[in-house]
Amino acid sequence: MIDVPVPDLTGRLAVVTGASDGIGRALAGKLAQAGAEVLLAARNPDKGAASVEKIRATVPGAAVSTGPVDLASLASVAAFAAALNRAGRPVDILVNNAGVMAPATRHTTADGYELQFGTNHLGHFALTGQLLPLLRAGRARVTTVTSSAARSGKINWDDPQSERKYSPIGGYGQSKLANLLFGLELDRRSQAEGWGITSNAAHPGTTLTNLYASGPNMGRGRPSPYEAIMSRLARLGVLVHGVDAGVLPALYAATGPDAGGGRFFGPDGFGQFTGRPTELTVYKSARSAETAARLWDVSERLTRVTYDAP
C-alpha cells in the first residue's frame, strides 16, 4: 500500500474542513494517528460527531473533536473562527478541504454567491483570514485542496457568480483554480509580510468519494450518472483510486518536512488521475501573480475579510 511518512505531531493543533467524510476524514485520521489534536470542521454536526467516533475507533486515544462550520455561509465561518480566536490556541496545521462539485443547476450561498465559488474559495479565504493571528502564532502549514480541474479552469471576471450563464463543470473549474491561486498567493504574502505561514496546494487526483454524488445530484430530478461511472472505473482500477491513496498528496503537503511553501502536490500517474504523491508543476492557468493578486482583491471585497495582521 502506498503511504507517506508523517512526523510526530504531538502537541500540534490541526484544523481540517470538510472532515465528516472522504478526503477530510481520512486526513484527520492520519494527523490524529501522528499525535496531533485535530478539530474536524463540519457542516453537519451529526456527521462530524460520527466521524470523530470512527477515528477514535481506529486510533485509540485520538484527540479529535468537531466544530460546526458551513463554508457556504460567511456568518457561520465568522462564528467558527471567533470561537477559535477566543480559545487563543495557535493553529499549527490548517487544511482547506471542504467543497462542492458541479451542481446540475445554479445554487447560491447564504450570501448570494454562486455555490461552488462561494463555498470552495470564498469560504476558505474568509476562514483563513479570520484565523490569521492563530496561524501566525503557530507558524502554521496551510494546505488548500484544489483539483486537476484547475488546469482548464478560468476566472470569469465579467460574471464570476455565473449569473448570466451557468456551467456546472465551468463553475467547478473556476472555483478550483481560485483555490490554487489562493494557496500560492497566501505564501507570497506570508513571505512578503513576515507572517511565518507556509502555504501550498494539493489535489487528490480522481478519488472516489461522495463528492460525485452530492454535488451533481443537486437540482436534478433523476440521479446523476457521475457516481455510477466513477464506481465502475474504481472497480476496474482505471483512472480512479480510493481515499487511502487520494489523501496522500494533501497529507504530504500538510506535514512533509520537504513540502515547502508556494508548491503544488498531487499524484504522479498518467494524467494525474492516480499515482504516488509528488510535487507537480504549477498549471499555466495559475502561474500569474497578477491574476492571483486580482483574485485576492476581489475576495476581500466579497467576503469583507482583510488579512490585517498585528
Side-chain angles (χ1 to χ4, degrees), residues 19-21 25 40 42 44-57 64 66:
S20 62
D21 207 342
R25 185 169 70 203
L40 282 63
N44 185 314
D46 292 336
K47 290 184 68 175
S51 289
V52 166
E53 293 308 312
K54 288 178 181 179
I55 292 172
R56 287 177 178 164
V64 289
T66 186

Side-chain angles (χ1 to χ4, degrees), residues 98-164:
V100 60
M101 185 187 79
T105 57
R106 183 179 181 271
H107 290 67
T108 58
T109 68
D111 305 281
Y113 302 131
E114 190 275 318
L115 185 63
Q116 297 178 92
F117 187 71
T119 302
N120 300 353
H121 171 59
L122 293 177
H124 285 122
F125 180 91
L127 176 64
T128 306
Q130 290 168 329
L131 292 181
L132 189 59
L134 301 182
L135 296 170
R136 291 193 66 192
R139 299 189 67 82
R141 181 82 64 88
V142 178
T143 297
T144 299
V145 177
T146 179
S147 164
S148 59
R151 181 162 35 196
S152 57
K154 296 179 181 179
I155 306 297
N156 186 344
W157 301 110
D158 295 326
D159 187 26
Q161 307 306 329
S162 304
E163 293 172 301
R164 293 197 291 270

Side-chain angles (χ1 to χ4, degrees), residues 24 76 86 122-123 126 178 180 188 196 260 285 296:
S76 176
R86 284 194 299 271
L122 293 177
L180 181 52
R188 291 189 196 100
S285 59
W296 190 283

Side-chain angles (χ1 to χ4, degrees), residues 122-224:
L122 293 177
H124 285 122
F125 180 91
L127 176 64
T128 306
Q130 290 168 329
L131 292 181
L132 189 59
L134 301 182
L135 296 170
R136 291 193 66 192
R139 299 189 67 82
R141 181 82 64 88
V142 178
T143 297
T144 299
V145 177
T146 179
S147 164
S148 59
R151 181 162 35 196
S152 57
K154 296 179 181 179
I155 306 297
N156 186 344
W157 301 110
D158 295 326
D159 187 26
Q161 307 306 329
S162 304
E163 293 172 301
R164 293 197 291 270
K165 183 179 180 181
Y166 174 72
S167 162
I169 298 302
Y172 183 66
Q174 173 178 253
S175 73
K176 293 285 99 179
L177 174 56
N179 285 150
L180 181 52
L181 288 165
F182 166 65
L184 300 175
E185 181 66 10
L186 177 60
D187 196 74
R188 291 189 196 100
R189 297 195 180 219
S190 176
Q191 290 190 42
E193 301 294 333
W195 293 342
I197 294 169
T198 299
S199 174
N200 52 33
H203 86 77
T206 307
T207 304
L208 183 60
T209 69
N210 71 355
L211 197 68
Y212 289 96
S214 57
N217 280 322
M218 295 177 66
R220 289 181 62 96
R222 300 172 60 185
S224 164

